[in-house]
Amino acid sequence: MAAGDDARARIQRLLVTGDNRLKQGVAPEKVRESYEQALAAAREAGLEDAVRPLVELRLADLDARTR
């Protein structure tokens, strides 16, 4: 697996982890942590521009749920 594919898989895994945590009612801090880790991994891999909109939507949804 190429390094880019590995980074994409890690980012996807972190996003799905955050989504699952949200659905399971895990503490919002843990959900946010998963999403922020996905964004950090995307930044490291040079994929931030592609991933940031996805993370921003998820964080906005998380914020709306916790108000």
Side-chain angles (χ1 to χ4, degrees):
M1 187 184 293
D5 292 339
D6 187 43
R8 283 180 178 84
R10 181 167 186 261
I11 293 163
Q12 182 179 14
R13 197 168 38 253
L14 287 164
L15 290 172
V16 170
T17 297
D19 292 346
N20 287 340
R21 286 177 167 176
L22 184 63
K23 289 176 190 171
Q24 294 168 359
V26 174
E29 305 84 47
K30 292 299 237 177
V31 177
R32 180 176 298 279
E33 180 181 302
S34 295
Y35 294 148
E36 289 176 351
Q37 286 176 352
L39 186 57
R43 191 176 298 119
E44 291 172 12
L47 299 169
E48 183 176 7
D49 290 342
V51 175
R52 179 174 291 283
L54 301 172
V55 172
E56 287 176 349
L57 283 173
R58 284 170 164 86
L59 289 174
D61 182 50
L62 177 63
D63 289 342
R65 290 174 184 242
T66 58
R67 287 185 194 154

